[in-house]
């Protein structure tokens, strides 16, 4: 494991923006990943002169079984005892239960809440954030609606009228919390300087972050990979071996790329070589709950539904892959693209009970022919 | 698992070359992968009118413990009882112990021997093959010499004065033998029609083959992946988790791509999304002996040498990854590229005992800066 080597001190040349005004960072969210993000950031704000030391973390207040407030315990122990027990966040992390108060002085907002809460949070924040505040979303798993995916970065951007980058990658929060080596990708729209600032804020010797000018590509990877993980789980459940699993993952990666590029012609091929692409796909298809429940589904020959297996295996959590596959299927049907995405389509047809799990490798005749989509031969 | 569906009959339009002359195929080699290749091909020559039914397979003659000749047993039982027991090759496969006789009528030669025998075989074949014969190499693991890699397709091409394609991919022979779904990539130089003919000869409903105009890229993947598998094995041995393993595999894929493109500017990014690239890398890093022995090496903290572990774990087989890493290191030192390829370099430094296994994730400070290599910023 990488020792926590010191990073070099910041030089004047890399101090971006107004040197007179140090940036203040607020993390909006305090779950497992949010707490790890706060820890990463807090180690850097102490070290880098262009940031205020203090990192404010908005915490949805909870009363713990002990009767104490979660924020009080975080502030007194420096640990998020509920969502990241045993890990010190850094004593410059300040938990704040008041959303408006938490964001009011921030120049940089890190969104890392469950995706279903983002819209509500943004509505509360309209008019409450600083002018020219910059945002980044660490939230994976936007919905894919008929008219296209509902990007969380766009939602934040549009609701608050601010710029929003994304950070995605092969990031299992608990592994990063114990400083195991990992990587991530920052997707940005235009402003490379802002992207570099986010990279600086998150990078540590065990967490390597690279910027990519492709918000949509980076963000779509974080959602579409869950559908491929369902397919990989079927292969595991059918005990088809590593060859087949690798082939299915590769076909999945190809469909992720092709789908993203059809929706957003600005999406770049190279994005899929980044941590958010191939690496996150590998992590998700090796571990992860989508893979695990899909494996059980295939082992049972599709006779027990995903709902039943989820209830049994996940203690009330829901699989994103299954609902994303259904949403994707609707988009593909609606646009006449089903034949172009045989793996995506087959995952939904299996998970909805229309096909047997073994169908995951039976679409070989339907090799997609992208020439039917105007100008898209390059996508394949 | 994919049922052995019938492929559609060949149409006139796809019959390439001189329709009057059916192609005759000879497989040069009869090990595990060679026997599976013969089986795949034999199922197609029966089905496709542009090929003679018979597939000749050159077998290095051996006397079995029963006292029988291997070729006789293959021809009487239709099984390679030594290297692929239990699998029928098709009764149109004819084992031939006479190399010159086996190739003399062939229009298409499939090379699938251990790589150290290729040069000797080619020397024996000079002047013995038909004019305008086409070749394909299924041989992974060429040597990487100081002056550059010694491509096996080039060796065949130059020695025999013929064109040579390659077929690579996530291909565990025993899994394909039992018709589990898999993919492969055909790399070709210029003649797309020939590539399509090879694709037709190998494709089955459970074995999907795609052509790519990039011989070097496809062939280099087959060798360089073994170095990445050593790195993945270190991560497994250190129990660093899926996040770290995915990151290391991704960095490895990036170095495979960058190295290939520095050596051969014609190499294409997209090749690394093919079966020969990302899929073969995944298979090799999940299973495979390079990964396995490297895992044992790291578990022992590097205190027992690879030679010792190989002898104990592999019954006399040698790991290609370790020698390829050493050869690569020499090329990188010689060209001043060591800093551009921290993962490749670190694998050799660990396997040769100069660094501890944990160093595999400690090169994060040396993020490669391709701008130092002229015009190569695009490679990164």
């Amino acid at each position: 494991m990488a020792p926590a080597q010191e990073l070099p001190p910041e030089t004047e040349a890399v101090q971006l923006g107004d040197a007179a005004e140090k940036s203040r960072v607020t993390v909006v969210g305090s779950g497992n990943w949010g707490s790890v993000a706060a820890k990463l950031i807090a180690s850097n704000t102490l070290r880098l002169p262009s940031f205020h030391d203090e990192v404010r973390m908005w915490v949805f207040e909870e009363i713990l079984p002990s009767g104490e407030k979660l924020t009080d315990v975080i502030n007194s122990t420096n640990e998020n005892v509920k969502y990241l027990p045993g890990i010190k966040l850094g004593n410059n992390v300040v938990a704040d239960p008041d959303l408006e108060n938490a964001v009011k002085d921030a120049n940089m907002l890190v969104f890392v809440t469950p995706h279903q809460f983002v819209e509500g949070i943004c509505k509360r924040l309209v008019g409450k954030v600083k002018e020219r505040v910059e945002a980044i979303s660490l939230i994976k798993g936007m919905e894919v609606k008929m008219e296209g995916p509902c990007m969380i970065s766009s939602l934040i951007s549009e609701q608050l009228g601010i710029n929003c980058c994304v950070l995605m990658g092969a990031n299992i929060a608990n592994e990063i919390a114990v400083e195991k080596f990992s990587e991530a990708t920052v997707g940005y729209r235009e402003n490379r300087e802002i992207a570099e600032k986010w990279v600086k804020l998150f990078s540590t010797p065990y967490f390597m972050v690279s910027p990519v000018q492709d918000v949509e590509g980076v963000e779509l990877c974080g959602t579409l990979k869950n559908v491929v993980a369902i397919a990989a789980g079927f292969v595991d459940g059918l005990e088809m071996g590593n060859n087949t699993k690798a082939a299915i993952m590769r076909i999945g990666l190809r469909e992720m790329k092709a789908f993203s590029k059809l929706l957003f012609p600005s999406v770049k091929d190279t994005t899929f070589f980044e941590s958010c692409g191939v690496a996150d796909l590998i992590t998700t298809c090796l571990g992860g709950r989508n893979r695990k429940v899909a494996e059980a589904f295939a082992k049972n020959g599709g006779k027990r539904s995903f709902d039943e297996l989820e209830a049994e295996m996940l203690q009330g959590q829901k699989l994103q892959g299954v609902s994303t596959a259904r949403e994707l299927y609707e988009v593909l049907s609606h646009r006449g693209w089903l034949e172009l995405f045989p793996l995506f389509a087959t995952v939904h047809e299996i998970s909805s009970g229309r096909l047997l799990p073994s169908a995951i490798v039976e679409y070989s005749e339907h090799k997609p022919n992208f020439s039917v989509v105007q100008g898209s031969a390059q996508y394949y």
Side-chain angles (χ1 to χ4, degrees), chain A residues 11 66 89 123 134 146 162 205 212 246 252 327 332 362 366 371:
Chain A
T11 61
S66 62
L89 301 180
K123 282 189 178 149
E134 287 288 334
M146 196 79 90
I162 60 180
V212 168
E327 293 160 5
L332 300 177
E362 282 165 10
H366 315 294
S371 61

Side-chain angles (χ1 to χ4, degrees), chain A residues 74-332:
Chain A
I74 293 173
N75 287 331
S76 60
T77 65
N78 246 263
E79 277 184 40
N80 186 335
V81 291
K82 178 146 186 189
Y83 296 106
L84 191 67
I87 303 291
K88 292 289 174 198
L89 301 180
N91 58 17
N92 52 328
V93 174
V94 176
D96 187 339
D98 180 337
L99 178 62
E100 289 178 27
N101 188 60
V103 303
K104 73 178 170 32
D105 296 321
N107 316 89
M108 300 177 81
L109 291 175
V110 177
F111 285 88
V112 53
T113 64
H115 74 279
Q116 60 271 31
F117 300 150
V118 182
E119 200 164 355
I121 289 169
C122 285
K123 282 189 178 149
R124 287 174 56 192
L125 292 182
V126 173
K128 307 288 163 56
V129 296
K130 279 188 130 177
E131 262 186 83
R132 297 178 56 204
V133 64
E134 287 288 334
I136 195 164
S137 166
L138 277 54
I139 302 164
K140 290 179 181 174
M142 73 272 189
E143 287 163 45
V144 181
K145 296 184 180 164
M146 196 79 90
E147 58 278 16
C150 173
M151 314 292 279
I152 287 168
S153 61
S154 305
L155 181 71
I156 294 169
S157 217
E158 287 162 16
Q159 294 256 341
L160 300 180
I162 60 180
N163 183 43
C164 188
C165 294
V166 295
L167 182 144
M168 304 276 148
N171 307 139
I172 299 172
N174 288 329
E175 294 187 6
I176 300 164
V178 294
E179 307 194 356
K180 289 189 174 172
F181 179 73
S182 182
E183 293 188 304
T185 312
V186 163
Y188 67 99
R189 204 168 293 280
E190 270 151 26
N191 192 331
R192 171 88 185 189
E193 285 194 0
I194 294 297
E196 295 284 3
K197 197 164 177 181
W198 287 117
V199 167
K200 227 169 39 162
L201 186 64
F202 280 95
S203 295
T204 72
Y206 61 87
F207 194 68
M208 282 176 72
V209 187
S210 303
V212 168
Q213 190 177 5
D214 182 1
V215 172
E216 287 88 0
V218 173
E219 194 168 355
L220 277 164
C221 281
T223 292
L224 298 176
K225 59 157 196 180
N226 290 325
V227 179
V228 185
I230 299 274
F234 293 152
V235 173
D236 285 344
L238 296 165
E239 296 179 6
M240 288 197 271
N242 287 339
N243 244 7
T244 305
K245 187 168 177 180
I248 291 298
M249 287 165 67
R250 185 197 85 78
I251 294 169
L253 184 64
R254 182 184 71 194
E255 294 194 7
M256 285 166 60
K257 179 156 71 83
F259 182 77
S260 303
K261 292 180 75 165
L262 279 176
L263 287 185
F264 298 99
S266 63
V267 166
K268 296 174 179 164
D269 274 356
T270 48
T271 298
F272 299 82
F273 284 125
E274 297 293 334
S275 177
C276 62
V278 64
D280 197 11
L281 180 70
I282 291 170
T283 304
T284 312
C285 291
L286 295 188
R289 56 177 184 248
N290 286 288
R291 191 212 63 78
K292 187 175 155 193
V293 180
E295 182 182 30
F297 181 88
K299 270 194 201 298
N300 284 289
K303 286 178 195 139
R304 299 184 61 197
S305 72
F306 266 99
D307 282 342
E308 195 183 335
L309 291 165
E310 274 174 44
E312 185 176 300
M313 299 173 73
L314 300 181
Q315 290 87 38
Q317 284 187 297
K318 281 293 192 180
L319 289 186
Q320 264 174 339
V322 173
S323 54
T324 306
R326 186 186 55 244
E327 293 160 5
L328 258 183
Y329 194 90
E330 284 166 17
V331 175
L332 300 177

